[in-house]
Amino acid sequence: MSRANRARPGAVPSAVALVPFAAAAAAAAAHILPAATWLPRFRAVCCPRLAGVGSPAHIAFTFDDGPDPASTPHFLDALDELAVHATFFVLGDGVARHPGLGRHIVDRGHELAVHGWTHSRPWLPAPARDVRETARAARVVHDTTGRRPQWYRPPYGILTAGRWAAARRAGLRPVLWTAWGRDWTARATPASVRATVGADLRGGGTILLHDSDRASAPGCWRAALGALPDLVAACRDAGYEVGPLSEHGMGEGRPRRPAGRRVLDPE
């Protein structure tokens, strides 16, 4: 190499040398930008279907992170007492370990949806892994229950480009939520869950709760379980029907932001 072409300390990199860095930055941006849908206001305004906005007369109850033999049966019993059916976003490896519980959820009238194979973080692009694991989770749900899942919610609600594409390839529709209970923390109580859900919930909304502490503070599922009767009663007192996503009117007409009066008025 000639002295003229030899890099000098402190020299500005050439445009050619910067191409790999620019390509990597573009790939990273394409991977993570869809995760902006995690922001509730952005999601509600720009992506109401993704937010889980359905019929204005209906509210969907959904539960994440199961099936868990230590906690999920308590939710099934409570839902039976309340005469409510719900959607359970399950982890594929949990269904593989507890297939009887997966079938039992469906036998009790609820529907299973896909939450991933494990509760992994999605920050690094891994499109091949996303396709493989999402398809594997959908397959184990189908093989266990005889029913094909319809819905997909990524762990942490972070919908990257790779996970979006993987869900669509598996025939799943991504759905997040309009209201959550922040029931995964050690400080959560039935009262805090009720108040947090109520702050954002109106007709047409989708509630996110957790029936397992697998990815959360130990025992925190008890806060969601304790809040459940009051949440269902408040929805019904406000004149709303409650049920799973399959009864939420997600495919009917043009979606809009949750409407109607707030389910739980501030105290």
Side-chain angles (χ1 to χ4, degrees), residues 2 33 41 167 204 231 252 263:
S2 69
L33 278 178
R41 293 189 182 279
L231 288 173
E252 301 173 6
V263 171

Side-chain angles (χ1 to χ4, degrees), residues 111-181:
E111 64 177 349
L112 295 191
V114 173
H115 196 37
W117 183 254
T118 62
H119 209 278
S120 59
R121 297 183 184 276
W123 300 122
L124 297 177
R129 184 195 66 192
D130 289 337
V131 168
R132 181 176 63 254
E133 292 191 351
T134 304
R136 187 182 181 191
R139 186 167 57 251
V140 76
V141 168
H142 178 240
D143 291 348
T144 299
T145 67
R147 301 184 184 182
R148 295 188 182 279
Q150 300 182 58
W151 319 102
Y152 171 74
R153 177 180 291 155
Y156 305 101
I158 300 172
L159 189 62
T160 62
R163 291 189 170 182
W164 188 305
R168 302 305 292 181
R169 184 168 176 174
L172 303 171
R173 177 172 169 179
V175 178
L176 299 181
W177 61 86
T178 65
W180 62 4

Side-chain angles (χ1 to χ4, degrees), residues 4 16 34 44 60 63 75 101 140-141 163 170 178 181 209 227 230 237 239 257:
V16 173
F63 298 88
F75 286 85
L101 181 53
V140 76
V141 168
R163 291 189 170 182
T178 65
L209 298 171
D230 282 347
D237 289 347
R257 296 178 64 183

Side-chain angles (χ1 to χ4, degrees), residues 24-154:
H31 167 72
I32 205 64
L33 278 178
T37 55
W38 186 89
L39 300 170
R41 293 189 182 279
F42 174 83
R43 184 168 69 240
V45 173
C46 299
C47 312
R49 287 193 186 278
L50 177 61
V53 177
S55 166
H58 189 270
I59 289 173
F61 276 75
T62 69
F63 298 88
D64 284 9
D65 295 356
D68 186 336
S71 54
T72 302
H74 295 287
F75 286 85
L76 299 179
D77 290 343
L79 291 167
D80 271 357
E81 291 179 7
L82 296 165
V84 172
H85 291 153
T87 302
F88 286 79
F89 283 88
V90 295
L91 296 169
D93 67 344
V95 176
R97 288 199 309 272
H98 309 292
L101 181 53
R103 286 189 292 270
H104 189 56
I105 294 171
V106 172
D107 290 343
R108 299 278 282 265
H110 310 288
E111 64 177 349
L112 295 191
V114 173
H115 196 37
W117 183 254
T118 62
H119 209 278
S120 59
R121 297 183 184 276
W123 300 122
L124 297 177
R129 184 195 66 192
D130 289 337
V131 168
R132 181 176 63 254
E133 292 191 351
T134 304
R136 187 182 181 191
R139 186 167 57 251
V140 76
V141 168
H142 178 240
D143 291 348
T144 299
T145 67
R147 301 184 184 182
R148 295 188 182 279
Q150 300 182 58
W151 319 102
Y152 171 74
R153 177 180 291 155

Side-chain angles (χ1 to χ4, degrees), residues 48-49 51-61 151 173 175 178 201-207 235 238-261 263:
R49 287 193 186 278
V53 177
S55 166
H58 189 270
I59 289 173
F61 276 75
W151 319 102
R173 177 172 169 179
V175 178
T178 65
L201 188 61
R202 292 170 174 80
T206 292
I207 298 174
C235 291
Y240 299 114
E241 297 180 358
V242 295
L245 286 171
S246 58
E247 299 175 3
H248 198 40
M250 296 280 284
E252 301 173 6
R254 184 177 180 180
R256 59 183 181 179
R257 296 178 64 183
R261 69 186 183 90
V263 171

